[in-house]
Amino acid sequence: MDFKFTEEQLLIQEAARDFAKTELLPGVIERDEKQEFPKEQVKRMGELGFLGMMTSEQYGGSGMDTVSYALVMEEISKVDASCSVIVSVNNSLVCWGLEKFGNEEQKQKYLTPLAKGEIIGAFCLSEPEAGSDATSQKTTAIEHGDHYIINGTKNWITNGSTADVYLVIAQTHPELKHKGINAFILEKGMAGFEIGPKEQKLGIRGSDTHSLIFNDVKVPKENRIGDDGFGFKFAMKTLAGGRIGIAAQALGIASGAYELAREYSKVRKSFGTEICNHQAIAFKLADMHTQIEAARHLVLKAAWDKDQGNNYDLSGAMAKLYASQVAMDTAIEAVQIHGGNGYVKEYHVERLMRDAKITQIYEGTSEIQKIVISRALLNK
């Protein structure tokens, strides 16, 4: 096996690392504290090509592979997970879904500006009673002549008020259950489309998370993605790729927390020496680094599977399951190594700990990943 990155992959990794340190790190604590959407930083990410990384160049994207995307996600997440989740949603859930399953008109109208970063998108699946259980959609899309009428509510939508394009999953034929679900492209400003209050979150507080309400929203038939009844399959295939992005985000959070803890341990003294010289701390660092490297291999294997055209349901779920646990464990240990300072905002690790928790929840909880993994292992 070749574990070396290509020259292009190394260059994009370096560009992402430099961007994170010079443009994300300044102000990241303030944005978290104020729950401020990183508008200027998102604009800059669009200019750098980070918002349409895997989209082909003919539609305004960077035409890069999934491994490069994972490297960028890791570097940005080390510093600001609120920004990285915006990158993840726009790339994995919105742009990829449109390029893979949208028709040419939809690609020209919506995908190109999304991939260029001129606008951003949102993926709308979760509901009050349909989070992990995507089959239980209560949002309805009733066919009416040359359009559909959409009614319902979506919860926990990233980019909820800042997106311009929304991919919405809704039930058209309840009697067909999951085979009656469709996916639609909605635009901000459509009559009856309301944006609910902003969620007050534990972590990724710079990310814009809202509920969305649809009251008789009229959507043209040409805005349906794929054939009638394709919506559930669209959502599942899109989420499978989304897990790789979130796994990379978790890896980045873990890496960022570890690096801060390691450097802190070299300067903080206790009992007459730097705390890294105490076996209790040195062993913590050894465990953290080992777990992060294991997570990194799982993430890159899933990304490689996707690039090779292999089935990545299993590898993506394993990467997301393990990396999210490593993110949580590593962030907690980083706070512990910092001692009292770990509880203080200026040292960053308390924010990384809060951000880490969401990686175990969105794109399917850890329990959902285990269902995906066990079904793959048992050929169900």
Side-chain angles (χ1 to χ4, degrees):
M1 296 179 68
D2 187 358
F3 289 93
K4 294 180 180 179
F5 296 124
T6 66
E7 184 176 347
E8 183 181 18
Q9 289 167 344
L10 290 172
L11 286 172
I12 191 66
Q13 181 186 44
E14 184 180 352
R17 183 182 296 131
D18 181 68
F19 167 74
K21 289 181 178 178
T22 60
E23 301 189 47
L24 292 184
L25 186 56
V28 65
I29 294 175
E30 183 179 7
R31 290 194 300 274
D32 173 78
E33 194 171 72
K34 295 181 177 180
Q35 301 189 63
E36 181 180 306
F37 184 79
K39 183 177 180 181
E40 292 303 315
Q41 290 76 13
V42 170
K43 179 181 178 182
R44 181 67 177 137
M45 289 193 296
E47 294 169 352
L48 290 168
F50 293 161
L51 296 180
M53 290 192 66
M54 297 176 290
T55 305
S56 59
E57 294 180 359
Q58 74 177 100
Y59 297 115
S62 303
M64 296 181 183
D65 59 8
T66 314
V67 170
S68 296
Y69 164 63
L71 294 175
V72 168
M73 280 294 296
E74 179 182 356
E75 293 301 327
I76 292 176
S77 301
K78 287 180 182 180
V79 176
D80 190 348
S82 292
C83 278
S84 68
V85 74
I86 297 167
V87 174
S88 178
V89 168
N90 210 68
N91 274 284
S92 296
L93 301 184
V94 181
C95 287
W96 185 85
L98 283 173
E99 183 167 22
K100 185 73 174 177
F101 302 110
N103 59 39
E104 188 61 28
E105 182 181 350
Q106 291 168 347
K107 293 175 185 178
Q108 293 291 344
K109 184 176 181 180
Y110 299 109
L111 177 58
T112 299
L114 284 163
K116 289 181 177 179
E118 296 171 351
I119 59 176
I120 59 174
F123 185 80
C124 310
L125 173 65
S126 295
E127 297 181 0
E129 297 180 21
S132 297
D133 181 10
T135 62
S136 300
Q137 294 292 303
K138 300 301 182 184
T139 297
T140 59
I142 305 304
E143 192 172 356
H144 188 80
D146 62 353
H147 59 272
Y148 287 85
I149 300 295
I150 296 183
N151 283 282
T153 301
K154 295 293 181 181
N155 278 21
W156 311 297
I157 305 303
T158 301
N159 303 335
S161 71
T162 49
D164 294 280
V165 174
Y166 300 77
L167 305 189
V168 178
I169 312 301
Q171 179 63 264
T172 301
H173 310 289
E175 70 280 4
L176 298 178
K177 299 181 179 179
H178 72 279
K179 293 183 179 180
I181 293 173
N182 278 309
F184 301 92
I185 305 170
L186 272 66
E187 300 175 24
K188 178 183 285 183
M190 284 182 165
F193 183 178
E194 300 177 14
I195 297 171
K198 185 175 183 176
E199 301 290 354
Q200 305 299 308
K201 305 192 300 294
L202 171 72
I204 57 167
R205 287 163 58 85
S207 170
D208 185 29
T209 308
H210 289 257
S211 294
L212 305 177
I213 302 98
F214 309 109
N215 293 308
D216 291 334
V217 180
K218 187 176 179 180
V219 180
K221 275 192 174 178
E222 56 263 31
N223 281 33
R224 189 187 71 201
I225 300 173
D227 295 332
D228 190 17
F230 181 67
F232 180 76
K233 188 173 289 187
F234 170 82
M236 293 302 100
K237 288 182 178 292
T238 304
L239 285 175
R243 292 188 185 107
I244 299 174
I246 297 308
Q249 182 190 47
L251 173 63
I253 293 171
S255 297
Y258 162 74
E259 290 173 8
L260 288 168
R262 182 190 62 199
E263 295 310 306
Y264 182 82
S265 75
K266 294 177 181 180
V267 297
R268 177 72 165 92
K269 289 187 176 182
S270 176
F271 299 100
T273 186
E274 291 78 10
I275 62 173
C276 63
N277 294 324
H278 297 304
Q279 196 175 73
I281 301 300
F283 279 13
K284 283 183 185 294
L285 293 171
D287 285 340
M288 292 160 75
H289 181 73
T290 301
Q291 291 162 5
I292 289 168
E293 280 299 295
R296 179 172 288 114
H297 282 73
L298 283 171
V299 171
L300 292 175
K301 171 59 164 60
W304 181 83
D305 277 343
K306 189 170 184 288
D307 288 335
Q308 296 301 310
N310 301 333
N311 186 306
Y312 50 89
D313 290 350
L314 177 59
S315 58
M318 290 193 301
K320 200 269 186 184
L321 173 66
Y322 187 72
S324 63
Q325 185 63 55
V326 170
M328 196 71 245
D329 293 345
T330 302
I332 290 172
E333 289 288 41
V335 171
Q336 194 73 15
I337 289 171
H338 278 75
N341 285 332
Y343 225 59
V344 178
K345 290 181 182 294
E346 67 180 282
Y347 288 87
H348 295 282
V349 288
E350 64 86 25
R351 172 173 48 81
L352 290 172
M353 183 178 70
R354 289 186 284 107
D355 289 346
K357 187 59 191 176
I358 192 62
T359 66
Q360 295 181 305
I361 299 173
Y362 56 18
E363 305 299 337
T365 63
S366 297
E367 291 75 20
I368 292 298
Q369 305 314 312
K370 291 178 182 180
I371 291 174
V372 174
I373 293 166
S374 62
R375 285 180 173 175
L377 295 176
L378 298 170
N379 295 316
K380 290 186 177 180

